[in-house]
Protein backbone atom coordinates (compact mmCIF):
# COMPACT_ATOMS: atom_id res chain seq x y z
CA UNK A 1 0.00 0.00 0.00
CA UNK A 2 2.89 2.37 0.35
CA UNK A 3 5.17 3.28 -2.51
CA UNK A 4 8.12 2.36 -0.32
CA UNK A 5 7.35 -1.33 -0.29
CA UNK A 6 7.20 -1.71 -4.04
CA UNK A 7 10.21 0.33 -4.80
CA UNK A 8 12.54 -1.70 -6.96
CA UNK A 9 15.08 0.87 -7.93
CA UNK A 10 17.50 -0.53 -10.44
CA UNK A 11 20.79 0.95 -9.53
CA UNK A 12 21.79 2.06 -12.99
CA UNK A 13 18.95 4.55 -13.03
CA UNK A 14 19.74 5.94 -9.62
CA UNK A 15 23.41 6.33 -10.21
CA UNK A 16 22.82 8.66 -13.11
CA UNK A 17 21.21 11.29 -10.88
CA UNK A 18 22.97 14.08 -9.17
CA UNK A 19 26.61 13.32 -9.90
CA UNK A 20 27.08 16.95 -10.83
CA UNK A 21 25.50 18.10 -7.62
CA UNK A 22 27.99 16.19 -5.53
CA UNK A 23 30.97 17.38 -7.50
CA UNK A 24 29.82 20.98 -7.21
CA UNK A 25 29.78 20.87 -3.46
CA UNK A 26 33.49 20.77 -2.91
CA UNK A 27 33.65 21.60 0.77
CA UNK A 28 31.49 18.83 2.15
CA UNK A 29 32.51 15.56 3.69
CA UNK A 30 30.52 13.26 1.47
CA UNK A 31 32.00 9.81 1.44
CA UNK A 32 33.65 8.61 -1.71
CA UNK A 33 34.41 4.97 -2.39
CA UNK A 34 37.55 4.03 -0.58
CA UNK A 35 37.99 7.53 0.80
CA UNK A 36 37.74 7.87 4.55
CA UNK A 37 35.43 10.55 5.85
CA UNK A 38 37.56 13.51 6.82
CA UNK A 39 37.52 14.40 10.49
CA UNK A 40 37.14 17.82 12.04
CA UNK A 41 35.54 19.24 8.98
CA UNK A 42 31.89 18.86 9.81
CA UNK A 43 28.93 19.05 7.49
CA UNK A 44 28.31 22.21 5.47
CA UNK A 45 26.52 24.67 7.70
CA UNK A 46 24.99 26.97 5.11
CA UNK A 47 21.32 27.78 5.45
CA UNK A 48 21.03 28.24 1.70
CA UNK A 49 22.19 26.08 -1.21
CA UNK A 50 25.60 26.80 -2.68
CA UNK A 51 25.87 27.60 -6.39
CA UNK A 52 25.47 24.37 -8.33
CA UNK A 53 24.25 22.37 -5.34
CA UNK A 54 21.21 20.28 -6.17
CA UNK A 55 18.15 21.15 -4.12
CA UNK A 56 15.64 18.47 -3.12
CA UNK A 57 12.37 20.04 -2.05
CA UNK A 58 9.24 18.56 -0.57
CA UNK A 59 6.34 19.40 1.73
CA UNK A 60 4.93 17.21 4.47
CA UNK A 61 1.61 17.61 6.18
CA UNK A 62 1.24 16.08 9.63
CA UNK A 63 -2.41 15.46 10.45
CA UNK A 64 -4.93 13.13 11.98
CA UNK A 65 -5.65 10.29 9.65
CA UNK A 66 -6.98 6.76 9.35
CA UNK A 67 -4.53 4.08 8.26
CA UNK A 68 -5.25 0.52 7.11
CA UNK A 69 -2.93 -1.95 8.82
CA UNK A 70 -4.33 -4.78 6.66
CA UNK A 71 -8.01 -5.20 7.49
CA UNK A 72 -7.64 -3.35 10.77
CA UNK A 73 -7.96 0.40 10.58
CA UNK A 74 -6.53 2.79 13.10
CA UNK A 75 -7.14 6.45 13.77
CA UNK A 76 -3.72 8.04 14.23
CA UNK A 77 -1.41 10.91 13.32
CA UNK A 78 0.52 10.56 10.06
CA UNK A 79 2.52 12.38 7.40
CA UNK A 80 0.25 12.82 4.38
CA UNK A 81 -1.99 9.96 5.51
CA UNK A 82 0.65 7.29 4.79
CA UNK A 83 2.14 4.58 7.02
CA UNK A 84 5.10 4.71 6.82
CA UNK A 85 5.29 8.20 5.37
CA UNK A 86 6.61 8.64 1.85
CA UNK A 87 10.34 8.10 1.48
CA UNK A 88 12.53 11.15 0.93
CA UNK A 89 15.47 10.47 -1.33
CA UNK A 90 18.52 12.56 -2.23
CA UNK A 91 22.17 12.19 -3.12
CA UNK A 92 25.01 12.79 -0.69
CA UNK A 93 25.84 16.48 -0.85
CA UNK A 94 22.37 17.61 -1.90
CA UNK A 95 20.59 20.45 -0.15
CA UNK A 96 17.24 19.49 1.35
CA UNK A 97 14.38 21.90 1.87
CA UNK A 98 11.47 20.23 3.59
CA UNK A 99 8.46 22.21 4.74
CA UNK A 100 6.31 20.75 7.49
CA UNK A 101 2.70 21.89 7.85
CA UNK A 102 1.49 21.05 11.32
CA UNK A 103 -2.23 20.26 11.26
CA UNK A 104 -1.97 18.12 14.39
CA UNK A 105 -3.76 19.16 17.57
CA UNK A 106 -0.33 19.40 19.23
CA UNK A 107 3.13 20.92 18.88
CA UNK A 108 5.51 18.93 16.73
CA UNK A 109 8.92 18.94 14.97
CA UNK A 110 10.99 16.71 12.69
CA UNK A 111 14.31 15.15 13.61
CA UNK A 112 16.41 13.71 10.75
CA UNK A 113 17.68 10.66 12.55
CA UNK A 114 21.24 9.74 11.59
CA UNK A 115 22.01 12.73 9.37
CA UNK A 116 24.97 14.92 10.33
CA UNK A 117 23.39 18.28 9.62
CA UNK A 118 23.47 21.86 10.76
CA UNK A 119 22.27 22.26 14.32
CA UNK A 120 19.38 24.62 13.47
CA UNK A 121 17.73 21.90 11.34
CA UNK A 122 18.00 19.10 13.90
CA UNK A 123 14.40 19.37 15.06
CA UNK A 124 14.60 19.18 18.86
CA UNK A 125 12.23 21.69 20.49
CA UNK A 126 13.82 23.37 23.47
CA UNK A 127 17.30 22.53 22.16
CA UNK A 128 17.53 23.56 18.49
CA UNK A 129 14.20 25.22 17.69
CA UNK A 130 10.85 26.32 19.07
CA UNK A 131 8.07 23.77 18.78
CA UNK A 132 5.97 24.03 15.64
CA UNK A 133 2.54 25.04 16.90
CA UNK A 134 -0.75 23.60 15.60
CA UNK A 135 -1.48 25.39 12.33
CA UNK A 136 2.16 26.42 12.03
CA UNK A 137 4.77 25.67 9.39
CA UNK A 138 8.52 25.20 9.60
CA UNK A 139 11.01 24.78 6.79
CA UNK A 140 13.98 22.50 7.40
CA UNK A 141 17.00 23.42 5.28
CA UNK A 142 20.25 21.50 5.39
CA UNK A 143 22.90 19.69 3.41
CA UNK A 144 22.92 15.91 3.80
CA UNK A 145 26.63 15.14 3.60
CA UNK A 146 26.76 11.35 3.88
CA UNK A 147 25.08 8.48 2.08
CA UNK A 148 23.02 6.14 4.20
CA UNK A 149 19.75 4.63 5.36
CA UNK A 150 18.03 6.97 7.80
CA UNK A 151 14.54 7.97 8.91
CA UNK A 152 12.73 10.97 10.30
CA UNK A 153 10.24 11.47 13.09
CA UNK A 154 9.00 14.13 15.54
CA UNK A 155 11.02 14.94 18.65
CA UNK A 156 8.00 15.75 20.79
CA UNK A 157 6.39 13.51 23.39
CA UNK A 158 5.54 10.01 22.23
CA UNK A 159 4.62 11.09 18.69
CA UNK A 160 7.06 8.60 17.16
CA UNK A 161 4.76 5.87 18.53
CA UNK A 162 2.07 7.00 16.09
CA UNK A 163 2.42 6.88 12.28
CA UNK A 164 4.75 9.89 12.21
CA UNK A 165 7.84 8.34 10.64
CA UNK A 166 9.29 7.77 7.18
CA UNK A 167 12.58 6.70 5.60
CA UNK A 168 15.09 9.21 4.27
CA UNK A 169 17.63 7.55 2.00
CA UNK A 170 20.77 9.38 0.97
CA UNK A 171 22.41 7.72 -2.04
CA UNK A 172 26.08 7.75 -2.90
CA UNK A 173 26.16 8.37 -6.65
CA UNK A 174 29.60 6.78 -6.82
CA UNK A 175 28.68 3.57 -5.05
CA UNK A 176 29.17 0.54 -7.27
CA UNK A 177 25.76 -0.81 -6.18
CA UNK A 178 26.35 -4.55 -6.15
CA UNK A 179 22.66 -5.40 -6.12
CA UNK A 180 19.72 -5.64 -8.51
CA UNK A 181 16.84 -4.29 -6.47
CA UNK A 182 16.22 -2.52 -3.20
CA UNK A 183 13.64 -3.16 -0.50
CA UNK A 184 13.12 -0.64 2.29
CA UNK A 185 11.85 -2.48 5.36
CA UNK A 186 10.45 -0.38 8.21
CA UNK A 187 9.70 -2.13 11.50
CA UNK A 188 7.26 -0.80 14.07
CA UNK A 189 5.37 -1.67 17.24
CA UNK A 190 1.76 -0.53 17.01
CA UNK A 191 -0.92 0.44 19.51
CA UNK A 192 -2.34 3.81 18.43
CA UNK A 193 -6.02 3.69 17.52
CA UNK A 194 -6.35 -0.01 18.43
CA UNK A 195 -4.92 -0.19 21.96
CA UNK A 196 -3.89 2.55 24.37
CA UNK A 197 -2.73 5.67 22.63
CA UNK A 198 0.85 6.78 23.18
CA UNK A 199 -0.12 9.85 25.21
CA UNK A 200 -2.07 7.61 27.61
CA UNK A 201 0.87 5.21 27.92
CA UNK A 202 3.15 8.11 28.73
CA UNK A 203 0.64 9.58 31.21
CA UNK A 204 0.40 6.18 32.95
CA UNK A 205 4.19 6.08 33.30
CA UNK A 206 4.21 9.64 34.58
CA UNK A 207 1.59 8.72 37.18
CA UNK A 208 3.94 6.16 38.73
CA UNK A 209 7.21 8.00 38.46
CA UNK A 210 9.48 8.97 41.32
CA UNK A 211 13.15 9.41 42.05
CA UNK A 212 15.92 7.51 40.32
CA UNK A 213 17.31 5.07 42.86
CA UNK A 214 21.04 4.98 43.46
CA UNK A 215 22.88 2.78 40.95
CA UNK A 216 24.97 -0.32 41.35
CA UNK A 217 27.80 1.55 42.99
CA UNK A 218 25.53 2.07 45.99
CA UNK A 219 25.16 -1.57 46.85
CA UNK A 220 23.15 -3.43 44.33
CA UNK A 221 20.09 -3.38 42.22
CA UNK A 222 16.58 -3.48 43.51
CA UNK A 223 15.50 -6.91 42.43
CA UNK A 224 12.07 -6.52 43.99
CA UNK A 225 11.00 -3.97 41.45
CA UNK A 226 8.75 -5.00 38.63
CA UNK A 227 10.83 -6.29 35.72
CA UNK A 228 10.32 -5.34 32.12
CA UNK A 229 9.59 -7.84 29.38
CA UNK A 230 12.53 -10.14 29.39
CA UNK A 231 14.61 -11.68 26.61
CA UNK A 232 17.01 -14.54 27.32
CA UNK A 233 19.61 -12.87 25.06
CA UNK A 234 19.23 -9.21 25.92
CA UNK A 235 17.63 -9.01 29.37
CA UNK A 236 14.71 -6.70 30.04
CA UNK A 237 13.76 -5.58 26.56
CA UNK A 238 10.71 -3.34 26.83
CA UNK A 239 7.97 -1.82 28.96
CA UNK A 240 4.96 -1.63 26.67
CA UNK A 241 2.62 -4.36 25.41
CA UNK A 242 1.66 -3.77 21.79
CA UNK A 243 -1.31 -5.36 20.04
CA UNK A 244 0.52 -5.43 16.67
CA UNK A 245 3.96 -5.44 15.08
CA UNK A 246 4.27 -4.06 11.56
CA UNK A 247 6.53 -4.19 8.54
CA UNK A 248 5.86 -1.26 6.23
CA UNK A 249 2.61 -0.59 8.01
CA UNK A 250 1.11 -4.07 7.68
CA UNK A 251 0.13 -6.74 10.20
CA UNK A 252 1.28 -10.35 9.59
CA UNK A 253 -2.17 -11.45 8.43
CA UNK A 254 -1.97 -9.05 5.46
CA UNK A 255 1.75 -8.69 4.80
CA UNK A 256 3.40 -6.52 2.24
CA UNK A 257 4.91 -8.57 -0.57
CA UNK A 258 8.13 -7.79 -2.42
CA UNK A 259 8.62 -9.40 -5.82
CA UNK A 260 11.97 -10.28 -7.32
CA UNK A 261 13.48 -12.86 -9.64
CA UNK A 262 15.34 -15.94 -8.40
CA UNK A 263 19.06 -15.29 -8.22
CA UNK A 264 18.72 -11.53 -7.91
CA UNK A 265 20.66 -9.70 -5.24
CA UNK A 266 18.33 -7.64 -3.10
CA UNK A 267 19.50 -4.87 -0.80
CA UNK A 268 17.29 -4.60 2.24
CA UNK A 269 17.40 -1.32 4.12
CA UNK A 270 16.04 -2.22 7.54
CA UNK A 271 14.90 0.57 9.86
CA UNK A 272 13.48 0.08 13.35
CA UNK A 273 10.95 2.88 13.86
CA UNK A 274 9.48 1.19 16.93
CA UNK A 275 9.25 3.02 20.23
CA UNK A 276 9.78 0.21 22.76
CA UNK A 277 10.68 -2.92 20.78
CA UNK A 278 13.94 -4.52 19.67
CA UNK A 279 13.36 -6.82 16.71
CA UNK A 280 15.12 -10.07 15.87
CA UNK A 281 15.10 -10.23 12.07
CA UNK A 282 15.61 -13.16 9.68
CA UNK A 283 14.67 -14.09 6.12
CA UNK A 284 13.59 -17.74 5.94
CA UNK A 285 15.97 -19.89 3.90
CA UNK A 286 18.56 -17.16 3.44
CA UNK A 287 21.78 -15.83 4.89
CA UNK A 288 22.08 -12.07 5.24
CA UNK A 289 25.22 -10.25 4.19
CA UNK A 290 25.42 -7.20 6.43
CA UNK A 291 27.03 -4.29 4.56
CA UNK A 292 26.09 -1.13 6.50
CA UNK A 293 24.81 -0.07 9.86
CA UNK A 294 23.37 3.37 10.62
CA UNK A 295 24.31 4.34 7.06
CA UNK A 296 28.01 3.48 7.28
CA UNK A 297 29.96 0.70 5.58
CA UNK A 298 31.04 -2.26 7.65
CA UNK A 299 33.32 -5.14 6.80
CA UNK A 300 30.86 -7.52 5.17
CA UNK A 301 29.60 -10.08 7.64
CA UNK A 302 27.29 -13.05 7.17
CA UNK A 303 24.43 -13.47 9.61
CA UNK A 304 21.42 -15.73 9.84
CA UNK A 305 19.57 -13.25 12.03
CA UNK A 306 20.21 -9.87 13.56
CA UNK A 307 18.99 -7.68 16.38
CA UNK A 308 17.70 -4.28 15.28
CA UNK A 309 17.11 -1.90 18.17
CA UNK A 310 14.93 1.20 18.13
CA UNK A 311 16.59 3.83 15.94
CA UNK A 312 19.12 1.41 14.42
CA UNK A 313 19.42 0.71 10.70
CA UNK A 314 21.04 -2.22 8.91
CA UNK A 315 21.60 -2.68 5.19
CA UNK A 316 21.88 -6.33 4.19
CA UNK A 317 22.16 -8.01 0.80
CA UNK A 318 20.62 -11.38 0.01
CA UNK A 319 20.80 -13.52 -3.11
CA UNK A 320 17.27 -14.79 -3.37
CA UNK A 321 16.20 -18.36 -3.96
CA UNK A 322 13.18 -19.52 -5.92
CA UNK A 323 9.93 -19.49 -4.01
CA UNK A 324 8.08 -17.57 -1.31
CA UNK A 325 10.03 -16.54 1.78
CA UNK A 326 9.00 -14.98 5.10
CA UNK A 327 10.87 -11.93 6.36
CA UNK A 328 10.14 -12.06 10.08
CA UNK A 329 10.85 -9.43 12.71
CA UNK A 330 10.14 -11.03 16.07
CA UNK A 331 9.52 -8.66 18.99
CA UNK A 332 12.38 -9.49 21.37
CA UNK A 333 11.19 -10.52 24.82
CA UNK A 334 7.57 -10.03 23.81
CA UNK A 335 4.92 -12.20 22.20
CA UNK A 336 4.42 -11.24 18.62
CA UNK A 337 6.11 -10.60 15.34
CA UNK A 338 5.97 -8.63 12.15
CA UNK A 339 5.98 -10.33 8.75
CA UNK A 340 6.63 -9.43 5.14
CA UNK A 341 6.92 -11.73 2.14
CA UNK A 342 9.66 -11.98 -0.46
CA UNK A 343 8.27 -13.68 -3.54
CA UNK A 344 10.25 -14.94 -6.51
CA UNK A 345 7.97 -17.81 -7.51
CA UNK A 346 4.48 -19.18 -7.02
CA UNK A 347 3.15 -20.58 -3.78
CA UNK A 348 1.04 -19.71 -0.80
CA UNK A 349 1.99 -16.87 1.49
CA UNK A 350 3.50 -18.02 4.79
CA UNK A 351 1.28 -18.24 7.88
CA UNK A 352 1.22 -15.10 10.04
CA UNK A 353 3.00 -16.97 12.85
CA UNK A 354 5.66 -18.65 10.68
CA UNK A 355 8.96 -18.91 12.55
CA UNK A 356 12.02 -19.34 10.31
CA UNK A 357 14.67 -21.60 11.89
CA UNK A 358 17.23 -18.82 11.39
CA UNK A 359 15.64 -16.87 14.26
CA UNK A 360 16.70 -19.40 16.87
CA UNK A 361 20.41 -19.72 16.12
CA UNK A 362 23.09 -17.09 16.63
CA UNK A 363 21.76 -13.52 16.32
CA UNK A 364 24.16 -10.79 15.31
CA UNK A 365 24.49 -7.85 17.71
CA UNK A 366 25.95 -5.14 15.50
CA UNK A 367 27.65 -2.97 18.11
CA UNK A 368 29.91 -5.81 19.25
CA UNK A 369 30.16 -8.10 16.22
CA UNK A 370 30.71 -5.73 13.30
CA UNK A 371 33.82 -3.78 12.33
CA UNK A 372 34.12 -0.60 10.29
CA UNK A 373 35.07 -0.84 6.64
CA UNK A 374 38.32 1.01 5.96
CA UNK A 375 36.42 3.73 4.10
CA UNK A 376 34.28 4.47 7.16
CA UNK A 377 36.99 4.57 9.80
CA UNK A 378 38.08 7.75 11.56
CA UNK A 379 41.83 8.36 11.65
CA UNK A 380 43.49 6.97 14.77
CA UNK A 381 43.75 9.55 17.50
CA UNK A 382 43.85 9.56 21.26
CA UNK A 383 40.85 11.22 22.87
CA UNK A 384 41.41 14.76 24.13
CA UNK A 385 38.90 14.18 26.89
CA UNK A 386 36.87 11.34 28.33
CA UNK A 387 33.52 11.62 30.05
CA UNK A 388 31.33 9.14 31.83
CA UNK A 389 27.73 8.62 30.82
CA UNK A 390 25.89 6.41 33.29
CA UNK A 391 22.41 5.17 32.42
CA UNK A 392 20.22 4.95 35.51
CA UNK A 393 16.68 4.14 36.47
CA UNK A 394 14.20 1.43 37.23
CA UNK A 395 10.64 0.26 36.64
CA UNK A 396 9.31 1.06 40.13
CA UNK A 397 8.98 3.94 40.56
CA UNK A 398 9.15 4.37 36.80
CA UNK A 399 12.11 6.68 36.23
CA UNK A 400 15.02 6.90 33.81
CA UNK A 401 17.95 9.25 33.60
CA UNK A 402 21.60 9.87 32.79
CA UNK A 403 24.32 10.40 35.40
CA UNK A 404 21.63 10.18 38.08
CA UNK A 405 19.52 13.02 36.66
CA UNK A 406 16.37 13.27 34.61
CA UNK A 407 16.57 15.56 31.59
CA UNK A 408 15.61 19.02 32.78
CA UNK A 409 17.64 18.60 35.98
CA UNK A 410 20.77 17.53 34.08
CA UNK A 411 23.93 19.47 33.33
CA UNK A 412 24.91 19.38 29.65
CA UNK A 413 27.98 17.39 28.68
CA UNK A 414 30.54 19.65 27.08
CA UNK A 415 33.15 19.41 24.36
CA UNK A 416 35.54 21.85 22.69
CA UNK A 417 35.40 22.25 18.92
CA UNK A 418 38.11 20.21 17.25
CA UNK A 419 38.43 17.75 20.10
CA UNK A 420 38.03 14.04 20.00
CA UNK A 421 35.72 13.13 22.84
CA UNK A 422 35.39 9.68 24.34
CA UNK A 423 32.20 8.74 26.16
CA UNK A 424 32.25 5.75 28.48
CA UNK A 425 28.63 4.71 28.57
CA UNK A 426 27.67 2.29 31.32
CA UNK A 427 24.23 0.82 31.68
CA UNK A 428 23.55 0.58 35.41
CA UNK A 429 20.02 -0.71 34.91
CA UNK A 430 18.37 -4.08 34.32
CA UNK A 431 16.90 -2.84 31.01
CA UNK A 432 18.50 -2.50 27.58
CA UNK A 433 18.87 1.00 26.13
CA UNK A 434 19.66 1.97 22.51
CA UNK A 435 21.60 5.22 22.96
CA UNK A 436 21.45 7.76 20.13
CA UNK A 437 23.62 10.82 19.44
CA UNK A 438 22.49 13.69 17.22
CA UNK A 439 24.63 15.53 14.67
CA UNK A 440 27.58 13.11 14.84
CA UNK A 441 28.40 9.49 14.20
CA UNK A 442 30.28 7.70 16.92
CA UNK A 443 33.30 5.53 16.28
CA UNK A 444 33.49 2.45 18.53
CA UNK A 445 37.16 1.81 19.42
CA UNK A 446 36.23 -1.61 20.81
CA UNK A 447 34.72 -2.69 17.47
CA UNK A 448 37.49 -1.72 15.06
CA UNK A 449 36.15 1.79 14.64
CA UNK A 450 32.58 0.77 13.77
CA UNK A 451 30.54 3.88 13.00
CA UNK A 452 27.12 4.13 14.59
CA UNK A 453 24.75 6.79 15.84
CA UNK A 454 22.56 4.35 17.78
CA UNK A 455 24.17 1.75 20.03
CA UNK A 456 22.28 -0.97 21.89
CA UNK A 457 23.66 -1.40 25.40
CA UNK A 458 22.62 -4.48 27.34
CA UNK A 459 21.60 -4.42 31.00
CA UNK A 460 24.72 -3.78 33.11
CA UNK A 461 26.74 -3.52 29.88
CA UNK A 462 29.09 -0.78 28.80
CA UNK A 463 30.62 0.63 25.64
CA UNK A 464 33.15 3.30 24.72
CA UNK A 465 32.25 5.63 21.88
CA UNK A 466 34.37 8.40 20.34
CA UNK A 467 33.32 11.42 18.34
CA UNK A 468 35.11 14.20 16.55
CA UNK A 469 33.61 17.53 17.63
CA UNK A 470 33.26 18.98 14.15
CA UNK A 471 29.66 20.18 14.17
CA UNK A 472 29.07 23.06 16.61
CA UNK A 473 25.82 23.35 18.50
CA UNK A 474 23.89 21.75 21.30
CA UNK A 475 22.92 18.18 20.51
CA UNK A 476 20.58 15.66 22.05
CA UNK A 477 21.92 12.39 23.43
CA UNK A 478 19.25 9.97 24.59
CA UNK A 479 17.79 6.53 24.80
CA UNK A 480 15.72 5.69 21.73
CA UNK A 481 13.09 3.96 23.81
CA UNK A 482 10.77 6.91 23.35
CA UNK A 483 9.19 6.42 26.80
CA UNK A 484 12.57 6.28 28.53
CA UNK A 485 13.57 9.45 26.70
CA UNK A 486 10.40 11.27 27.67
CA UNK A 487 10.77 10.16 31.29
CA UNK A 488 14.24 11.68 31.43
CA UNK A 489 16.88 9.46 29.81
CA UNK A 490 18.22 12.30 27.71
CA UNK A 491 20.91 14.92 28.03
CA UNK A 492 22.72 17.28 25.70
CA UNK A 493 26.23 17.66 24.35
CA UNK A 494 27.16 21.29 24.17
CA UNK A 495 30.12 22.90 22.36
CA UNK A 496 31.98 25.28 24.64
CU1 LIG B 1 15.50 9.23 16.40
CU2 LIG B 1 16.66 12.05 19.12
O1 LIG B 1 16.05 10.62 17.79
CU1 LIG C 1 16.15 3.24 27.52
Amino acid sequence: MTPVTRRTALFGGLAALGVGALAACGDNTASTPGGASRPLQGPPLQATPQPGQKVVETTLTARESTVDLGGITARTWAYDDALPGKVIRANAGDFLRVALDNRLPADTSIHWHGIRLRNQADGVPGVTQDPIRPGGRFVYEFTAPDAGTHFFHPHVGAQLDRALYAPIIIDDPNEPGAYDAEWIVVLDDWTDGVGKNPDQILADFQAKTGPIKPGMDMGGMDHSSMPGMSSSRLGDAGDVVYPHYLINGRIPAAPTEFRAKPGQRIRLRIINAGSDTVFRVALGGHTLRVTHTDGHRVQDKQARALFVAMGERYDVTVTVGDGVFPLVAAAEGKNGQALAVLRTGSGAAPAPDVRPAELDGPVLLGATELAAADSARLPDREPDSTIKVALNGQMDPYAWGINGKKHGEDNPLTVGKGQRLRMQITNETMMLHPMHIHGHTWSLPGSAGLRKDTVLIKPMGSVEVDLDADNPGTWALHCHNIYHMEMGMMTTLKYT
Side-chain angles (χ1 to χ4, degrees), residues 116-150:
R116 298 187 312 127
L117 43 52
R118 49 193 290 268
N119 193 243
Q120 296 89 335
D122 194 45
V124 184
V127 179
T128 67
Q129 68 169 101
D130 291 329
I132 309 168
R133 302 294 183 197
R137 162 180 260 244
F138 189 89
V139 184
Y140 290 92
E141 295 179 293
F142 58 92
T143 296
D146 312 308
T149 300
H150 308 300

Side-chain angles (χ1 to χ4, degrees), residues 214-223 234-236 391-393 400 425-433 456-463:
M216 57 183 175
D217 50 333
M218 301 298 288
M221 307 296 303
D222 177 5
H223 290 286
L234 300 178
D236 288 354
L391 312 180
N392 312 111
W400 303 104
I425 308 179
T426 55
N427 182 351
E428 301 180 356
T429 80
M430 300 306 286
M431 174 81 60
L432 66 81
H433 304 286
L456 174 62
I457 308 171
K458 288 190 203 179
M460 308 307 283
S462 61
V463 65

Side-chain angles (χ1 to χ4, degrees), residues 319-356:
T319 302
V320 286
D322 189 352
V324 184
F325 306 100
L327 177 69
V328 173
E332 189 66 18
K334 304 181 178 185
N335 288 317
Q337 64 180 28
L339 172 71
V341 176
L342 175 58
R343 177 181 290 277
T344 64
S346 57
D353 62 351
V354 59
R355 187 162 179 104

Side-chain angles (χ1 to χ4, degrees), residues 239 310 391 400 427 429 431-435 478-485 489:
D239 306 345
M310 302 82 91
L391 312 180
W400 303 104
N427 182 351
T429 80
M431 174 81 60
L432 66 81
H433 304 286
M435 295 303 294
H478 62 87
C479 176
H480 221 278
N481 180 311
I482 232 62
Y483 297 99
H484 294 185
M485 178 180 87
M489 194 174 268

Side-chain angles (χ1 to χ4, degrees), residues 58 65 119 167 262 277 289-290 312 328 335 384 419 437 457 496:
T58 189
S65 185
N119 193 243
T277 306
R289 183 159 56 90
V290 183
E312 277 193 303
V328 173
N335 288 317
D384 299 294
Q419 289 193 333
I437 181 86
I457 308 171
T496 52

Side-chain angles (χ1 to χ4, degrees), residues 42-55:
L45 302 179
Q46 299 85 1
T48 53
Q50 297 301 102
Q53 190 177 11
K54 190 177 162 219
V55 180

Side-chain angles (χ1 to χ4, degrees), residues 461-482:
S462 61
V463 65
E464 285 188 334
V465 294
D466 291 352
L467 65 77
D468 279 342
D470 59 0
N471 192 7
T474 300
W475 300 98
L477 164 67
H478 62 87
C479 176
H480 221 278
N481 180 311
I482 232 62

